[in-house]
């Protein structure tokens, strides 16, 4: 996750990598906790505000560019694995989980509200896997069974679309209209009308695609 051309963060094993010079150099920060292995996802909104989540329900936040981190527990069951986080600014953020929950905060993660819109009748692993808060109102999620969800009011209500039957891993919008979603068996989907319709692209591979990022629409 990059907030500008210089400042970025990468999630990794028991910590994060941060850069302040466009990736020429990286600094590794070790999160010294015995109860987890993997930082599942991270998000950076500006040069100072960084966020990270782990597969065992921990939420990390830095307000000074990664020099120091605060830690708290997410309000999810132990087996309900957080998959991806995305913040639109230093206060407002979203997390999706493997049981299909959407967690939302408006105060930098001090408190979380759980939206169970996509909660299945039974616990199906990896129901939701990707989330992107494009701005303070527009949010997209994706996950198992080709599900793509969209909110235009900061997660208060959701519109559920479908991307087919293939499990989807991540989505990225370059603006309110143009976006991409990727998933298993080389699936790439593109929309040019804000997610109302999706067109499959040829990736020339059957390998699983786990993430997507575009610098600009071109």
């Amino acid at each position: 996750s990059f907030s500008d051309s210089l400042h970025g963060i990468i999630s990794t094993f028991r910590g994060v990598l941060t850069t302040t010079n466009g990736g020429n150099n990286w600094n590794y920060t070790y999160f010294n906790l015995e109860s987890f292995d993997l930082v599942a996802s991270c998000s950076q909104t500006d040069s100072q505000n960084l966020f990270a989540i782990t597969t065992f329900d921990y939420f990390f936040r830095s307000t000074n560019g990664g020099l120091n981190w605060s830690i708290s527990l997410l309000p999810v069951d132990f087996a309900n694995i957080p998959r991806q986080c995305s913040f639109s600014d230093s206060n407002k953020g979203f997390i999706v989980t493997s049981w299909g929950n959407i967690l939302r905060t408006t105060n930098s993660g001090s408190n979380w509200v759980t939206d169970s819109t996509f909660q299945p009748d039974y616990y199906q692993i990896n129901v939701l896997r990707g989330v992107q808060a494009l701005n303070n109102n527009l949010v997209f999620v994706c996950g198992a069974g080709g599900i793509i969800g969209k909110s235009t009011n900061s997660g208060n209500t959701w519109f559920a679309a479908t991307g087919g039957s293939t499990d989807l891993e991540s989505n990225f919008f370059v603006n309110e209209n143009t976006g991409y979603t990727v998933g298993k068996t080389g699936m790439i989907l593109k929309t040019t009308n804000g997610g109302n319709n999706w067109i499959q692209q040829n990736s020339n591979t059957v390998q699983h695609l786990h993430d997507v990022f575009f610098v600009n629409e071109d």
Side-chain angles (χ1 to χ4, degrees):
S1 175
F2 273 76
S3 59
D4 54 43
S5 61
L6 298 177
H7 298 88
I9 182 173
I10 295 174
S11 56
T12 183
F13 180 78
R14 293 195 176 184
V16 293
L17 294 167
T18 55
T19 181
T20 58
N21 58 10
N24 291 315
N25 302 100
W26 294 89
N27 178 62
Y28 176 64
T29 299
Y30 176 68
F31 293 156
N32 187 20
L33 292 174
E34 295 297 329
S35 57
F36 79 95
D37 289 333
L38 181 66
V39 177
S41 179
C42 54
S43 183
Q44 181 165 349
T45 59
D46 53 58
S47 63
Q48 300 301 306
N49 288 281
L50 291 73
F51 308 89
I53 59 173
T54 76
T55 53
F56 285 99
D57 308 343
Y58 285 108
F59 172 74
F60 289 87
R61 182 197 177 194
S62 175
T63 59
N64 57 8
L67 295 177
N68 304 100
W69 294 83
S70 62
I71 179 174
S72 58
L73 278 173
L74 294 170
V76 296
D77 292 336
F78 181 76
N80 187 13
I81 300 172
R83 290 295 181 184
Q84 196 170 69
C85 67
S86 179
F87 277 73
S88 57
D89 60 30
S90 60
N91 292 310
K92 190 170 293 184
F94 296 82
I95 295 173
V96 292
T97 77
S98 61
W99 285 0
N101 294 132
I102 303 171
L103 279 63
R104 177 181 55 173
T105 182
T106 57
N107 56 10
S108 304
S110 297
N111 302 99
W112 295 90
V113 176
T114 302
D115 183 332
S116 59
T117 301
F118 296 105
Q119 179 71 47
D121 294 331
Y122 58 93
Y123 291 153
Q124 178 184 353
I125 300 300
N126 299 338
V127 171
L128 288 179
R129 305 181 186 181
V131 58
Q132 183 197 8
L134 183 62
N135 53 49
N136 282 344
N137 294 311
L138 193 57
V139 188
F140 294 88
V141 298
C142 65
I147 189 171
I148 299 173
K150 175 182 178 180
S151 176
T152 58
N153 56 10
S154 192
N156 290 304
T157 56
W158 294 87
F159 165 76
T162 179
S165 60
T166 300
D167 292 350
L168 302 174
E169 297 281 351
S170 182
N171 45 242
F172 188 85
F173 276 72
V174 295
N175 55 47
E176 293 186 0
N177 293 312
T178 303
Y180 303 83
T181 298
V182 298
K184 291 187 175 180
T185 63
M187 175 65 72
I188 299 176
L189 299 172
K190 179 182 180 180
T191 181
T192 56
N193 59 8
N196 294 320
N197 303 100
W198 294 86
I199 299 174
Q200 184 173 343
Q201 309 292 298
N202 185 7
S203 66
N204 296 314
T205 181
V206 295
Q207 302 297 316
H208 295 346
L209 303 178
H210 293 281
D211 210 349
V212 58
F213 179 82
F214 281 78
V215 176
N216 55 52
E217 190 171 354
D218 295 332

